[in-house]
Each structure stands twice: as C-alpha cells, then as structure tokens.
Amino acid sequence: MKKVMLTVSTVAALGTLLLSGCGSESGSSNAANTPGAGNAQTGNSANAPSNAPAADMKLRILDGNVGGKTPEETTKFAAEITRLTGIDTSIEKPASDYDQKVLTALGSGEKYDLIELSDLGKLATFVDQGVVTDLTDFVTGSKVLSDPTVVPTSEWEQLKDKDGRIVGVFNKFQGGTMPIVRKDWLDKLGLQDPKTLDEYYNVLKAFKEKDPDGNGKNDTYGLSTADIYDIQAFMSAAGVKAHYVMKDGKRTIPYATEAAIPIYEWFAKLVKEGIMDPNFVTNDSGKMRNLFLTDRVGMVTYWDAWVGMFNNTRKQEDPNTTFNAKALSSIPGADGTVLMRRGDPDFWIIPANAEHPEAAKKFLEFWHTEPGIMLGSLGIENEDYTKEGDAYKLTPTGIEHNMDHGVPFWYNQNVEYPFGKLPGVQEAQDLVNKNATLELSLPGWPDAEKIVKNYALKAMSGQMDAAEAVKKMHDELLGKKLIDE
C-alpha cells in the first residue's frame, strides 16, 4: 500500500507539471529527457538568431504553456528572454480559463504581440475574423525558419490558412497518441506485440486472467481508457478516422457510420467479459495513468511522451523495477492503412493589432535556435541548470521542473537533447512520424463531440446495441446540421 500511495502521489504531481497544450487534453503531454548531465551539439548558422534585436524593442506575450511553473518563475523567465535577446519582454500566463482569455483579448482589441494557441479550428476562425497577421513572407524569408533542418518544410502546411498563407509559427514539436502496453507483462506471459484486433483481444484477455503482476489475485484489467480518448488505434482496424472527414465536399463523422459498429461491439465484448476497466466511461486521464502505474491495467491509450514518463516514474521509485512501457502501432485496416492520431500543434500567432510585430518576429526566430530551445526546455541557466563547457547539469529546481518550460520536444535537428530522451519515447515518436495525421475539427466539432461521445460510450459499455447507438448518433448529428450526410 505504501508503494501504491507513493506512485499515485508522484503521478499527481507530474500531471500538474507536465500536461501541456495550453491546458487542453487535445494537446500533448511532456517531459522529454532524463535528469543528469550530458552534452548538446552546437548546430550550424540556423541555431543563431539573425540580426540581434535592438535593446529598445518590447514584447508582450500571452500564453498558457511557456514560462515558469509559478507567476514568480514566469517573471524570471521573461527576464531571461530579455537577457538573451535584448527584447524587453513581459509574459502573461493565466492560471485558468486560458481559452476564454484569448477570446476576450482578441475580441476586445487588447494588444498582445504574441499569443500561443493549440487549436487549428480556433486559428481558422481567428483568420476569418481578420485578427491574425499573415506571416508568409516572414517565414519564407527567415534564414532560421525557412531552414528545413530547423522546421521541416512539409510541417508548415499545418499552419496555412485556406488561401495558403502561413499564419502561425510553431512553439514545439507535437506528438501523438497510441496504445501503450506493459511490455514486461507481455514477456512474462510469452506474448508478442499484438497487430490485429483478435491479437489485441487475446493479449488483453491474458492480462485479465493470467495474473501478470504475480500477486496471486484477480485484480488486473487488460485495457483502460479515459472515455473514448483515444480509441483511434482500434477504429483503425475498420478504416474509421476520428473527428470530421470531408467526403465529396460534405462533412462526415466516421464514428457515426456503420463501419464503426464492429469496433463498438469489440469494446462491449471486453466490458462484458471483465477485460476492460469498468470505470473507463468516467475516467479522466489521471485516473487512467494511475491504474497503469500501479499494476492494475496492462494497456492504456495516451501520448507518446508518456511512454517515457511511465518508465521514468517507476525507475525513480525503484531502480530495480522490471516495469517496461512500450508504444504500439494502430491496427492496419483491410487495405493496410494505419490510422494514428497526431495532436494539433502548439503555435504562436502575431495578432493583427500587435504594437511590436518586429520584436515578435525576432523572438520567433530566437525560439527555434539553440538558446531559445534550451530556455524552453531546460529553463533558466543557473536557476534550472548549470553548464560547464558542453556539459549540462540540472539543479534541484530543474529536476523538479522536468525540463519542460513549454518545449519538451522540438523540430530543430541541429540541437541535440542534452540528456537524451526517456526510454521508449523515440520509438513512440517514430510511430507518430510514420503514420499519424491531424484530426479535422471543423467549427461544429465541440457540439458534435458531445453527441459522438454519448452514444459511443453507450455502445462500448453495452448499455445500447452498437447498431442502434450508431443510428441514433448519426440521426442526431444530421438533425442538428453537424454533418451533411
């Protein structure tokens, strides 16, 4: 019991520190590196800000993710930006209701030079409202941002509006979600990584029935989720993509089609046989993570970064642990296509009414160079870390901050991770880079999501026949003009 309580406490603290994406669960979780000392390579010219800004430049930033863990630390963080760039910087980081603060600021005409966002649907709305600056010429003309080793050229497609204009600049590299399995349980039971729906069922059934934790009790489950977040890996087996999909110019939601019925029925079978955590309907992500870390469940669906977080948390508590979390791929559909979810990017916009757009542009270049990346990840030099030559060492404060001040992962290939990535993270990110795509969240999605979730959970839990649930889901979406067919 003492060990379990310690684990839950640890995870609760990590959850407070590590969840990003401007406070939205649609964004990713963080913590890229392992505490210790290491080396980072100094990259090429793309790692140095071009044309250092004049000292009289000012910059007012609104963000929900970048900076310190407390208001006092965020003030220090802003001062460090000033020291490194010469830009007189202030940061406003609301403790809550960040999305509402952004809406209020842009709607009232309050003047910020940079605002951080993590919702492409909201970005499209802001562009239509004319409150976002066109950054195409800036990005294509920047020696830093136009360098494909700093930001891959194809990535900019995410931040283009319907007219092909670049209207944002990335804050960090965003990952994706996937099934995460107890690899040590697989090995103990002599099982291979599952690749088909039937193989997943057999693995999950074994996790329920064959005492994988070795305590002699029937107290484990095969799978847990936080409601339908994120079942894409299993829907992939039926070729069903989450959120909206445009088909011949019409809005469709594949989760509300007959193709999804077999997957809902598969989940209902897991529930009926006691293989699925019965609380999945009401779980939040924290409860789901706790089950995984306390040996209660063998598989969850979550972010790539948390593969490493799970491994590191258990290793910190017990250096001799056999715990081993591993990312799994989605199940290929009949045509071999693998559908994986990639999170909306975290990015900066320059509002159309910004008073200091040139200072904002200088900052955006700096943010993608080695000094900016180290600030956004490790934190403030001599506060979060010290450096001797090329060797970095975290302070106790830096260890507590988990090397995440808004940038746990980055695009720039010329900047190495000072301490490497946590175990399992790179393999998980390789799956994301190979297979994951963004979900299409059109303006009606928040209302549509409530309907989808309501009927999907009823079907998955066996409260309603899957075919009936899909029909009701589809009819309600169509009746409220949230889909076109």
Side-chain angles (χ1 to χ4, degrees):
M1 176 61 72
K2 183 176 181 182
K3 178 180 179 182
V4 171
M5 290 301 292
L6 176 61
T7 303
V8 173
S9 175
T10 302
V11 177
L14 289 170
T16 300
L17 292 173
L18 300 177
L19 290 178
S20 67
C22 301
S24 170
E25 193 169 41
S26 64
S28 121
S29 296
N30 311 324
N33 311 323
T34 307
N39 297 308
Q41 295 290 328
T42 301
N44 59 24
S45 59
N47 287 324
S50 60
N51 302 321
D56 60 351
M57 278 190 167
K58 294 181 182 291
L59 184 64
R60 187 185 182 199
I61 297 174
L62 176 64
D63 78 73
N65 190 37
V66 169
K69 309 300 181 183
T70 66
E72 294 76 17
E73 291 168 2
T74 296
T75 299
K76 292 180 181 179
F77 195 90
E80 186 70 355
I81 293 174
T82 298
R83 184 183 75 83
L84 291 169
T85 66
I87 305 172
D88 183 5
T89 303
S90 64
I91 298 176
E92 297 175 32
K93 187 178 180 183
S96 61
D97 299 324
Y98 180 75
D99 288 346
Q100 185 57 49
K101 175 63 176 177
V102 171
L103 291 172
T104 301
L106 291 174
S108 66
E110 189 172 359
K111 294 181 179 180
Y112 289 95
D113 302 307
L114 280 172
I115 295 178
E116 184 189 13
L117 298 175
S118 60
D119 187 322
L120 293 175
K122 286 188 175 68
L123 175 62
T125 299
F126 295 149
V127 170
D128 289 343
Q129 292 172 348
V131 296
V132 177
T133 299
D134 178 359
L135 300 177
T136 308
D137 291 343
F138 162 61
V139 170
T140 57
S142 166
K143 291 182 179 179
V144 176
L145 299 176
S146 66
D147 185 339
T149 69
V150 175
V151 179
T153 303
S154 61
E155 290 291 283
W156 290 109
E157 294 299 318
Q158 298 178 62
L159 296 181
K160 289 182 178 179
D161 67 6
K162 59 188 178 184
D163 297 318
R165 299 175 300 180
I166 297 173
V167 289
V169 172
F170 297 102
N171 170 39
K172 63 180 181 181
F173 170 79
Q174 187 67 286
T177 58
M178 62 207 48
I180 302 174
V181 69
R182 285 288 299 269
K183 179 64 165 61
D184 54 313
W185 285 12
L186 286 176
D187 294 343
K188 181 178 180 179
L189 299 178
L191 300 169
Q192 301 297 314
D193 292 354
K195 293 181 172 60
T196 68
L197 208 57
D198 286 343
E199 289 176 3
Y200 266 92
Y201 170 79
N202 291 333
V203 163
L204 299 176
K205 183 178 175 67
F207 286 169
K208 168 64 180 175
E209 298 178 350
K210 295 188 176 181
D211 191 25
D213 61 345
N215 68 356
K217 300 177 181 179
N218 181 21
D219 62 353
T220 55
Y221 296 106
L223 176 66
S224 184
T225 64
D227 58 63
I228 63 170
Y229 182 86
D230 178 21
I231 61 172
Q232 177 65 87
F234 307 105
M235 284 291 184
S236 176
V240 173
K241 176 72 174 171
H243 286 217
Y244 278 105
V245 170
M246 297 301 295
K247 183 177 179 181
D248 299 327
K250 296 182 178 180
R251 297 170 300 162
T252 71
I253 295 179
Y255 275 29
T257 65
E258 292 184 357
I261 292 174
I263 309 303
Y264 294 135
E265 292 175 336
W266 183 81
F267 275 104
K269 181 180 180 181
L270 297 183
V271 171
K272 182 178 181 179
E273 296 182 10
I275 296 170
M276 186 87 175
D277 163 30
N279 296 315
F280 80 97
V281 173
T282 57
N283 277 349
D284 59 23
S285 58
K287 292 176 182 176
M288 178 190 69
R289 295 195 307 264
N290 289 345
L291 288 172
F292 193 68
L293 278 166
T294 55
D295 302 329
R296 296 292 311 285
V297 68
M299 188 181 297
V300 293
T301 56
Y302 210 43
W303 292 93
D304 50 8
W306 271 88
V307 178
M309 276 303 307
F310 287 137
N311 286 323
N312 191 52
T313 299
R314 287 291 294 263
K315 193 72 172 178
Q316 292 296 315
E317 292 181 359
D318 177 11
N320 298 315
T321 185
T322 60
F323 181 99
N324 183 9
K326 179 184 178 181
L328 296 176
S329 178
S330 293
I331 302 169
D335 63 355
T337 300
V338 173
L339 299 176
M340 289 184 68
R341 175 199 180 205
R342 183 174 181 182
D344 277 6
D346 275 17
F347 55 93
W348 304 101
I349 62 167
I350 300 179
N353 67 346
E355 293 186 309
H356 311 103
E358 293 307 311
K361 292 174 182 178
K362 292 296 183 182
F363 170 85
L364 292 173
E365 289 189 315
F366 158 78
W367 197 242
H368 284 268
T369 66
E370 186 170 320
I373 289 168
M374 289 302 104
L375 177 62
S377 56
L378 298 187
I380 302 170
E381 187 169 3
N382 297 323
E383 177 92 9
D384 293 287
Y385 71 94
T386 59
K387 185 179 180 184
E388 294 184 10
D390 290 334
Y392 292 83
K393 183 177 182 181
L394 293 178
T395 66
T397 297
I399 293 174
E400 179 184 347
H401 291 170
N402 281 294
M403 292 163 288
D404 175 20
H405 294 80
V407 186
F409 302 107
W410 52 86
Y411 282 106
N412 194 327
Q413 300 170 26
N414 308 296
V415 181
E416 293 186 358
Y417 289 83
F419 309 107
K421 295 181 180 179
L422 290 174
V425 169
Q426 187 59 60
E427 294 81 358
Q429 289 182 335
D430 288 345
L431 290 175
V432 172
N433 289 330
K434 180 181 179 181
N435 297 313
T437 57
L438 293 170
E439 294 171 339
L440 178 60
S441 297
L442 299 175
W445 176 247
D447 293 326
E449 183 180 27
K450 295 174 185 176
I451 297 170
V452 171
K453 185 178 293 189
N454 175 41
Y455 289 107
L457 289 174
K458 288 180 178 178
M460 291 166 65
S461 62
Q463 296 178 41
M464 183 180 289
D465 175 77
E468 181 185 2
V470 165
K471 185 179 187 308
K472 287 182 176 294
M473 185 193 305
H474 176 270
D475 290 349
E476 191 168 335
L477 289 167
L478 193 62
K480 293 187 176 181
K481 300 187 186 312
L482 293 169
I483 55 176
D484 299 316
E485 66 173 29

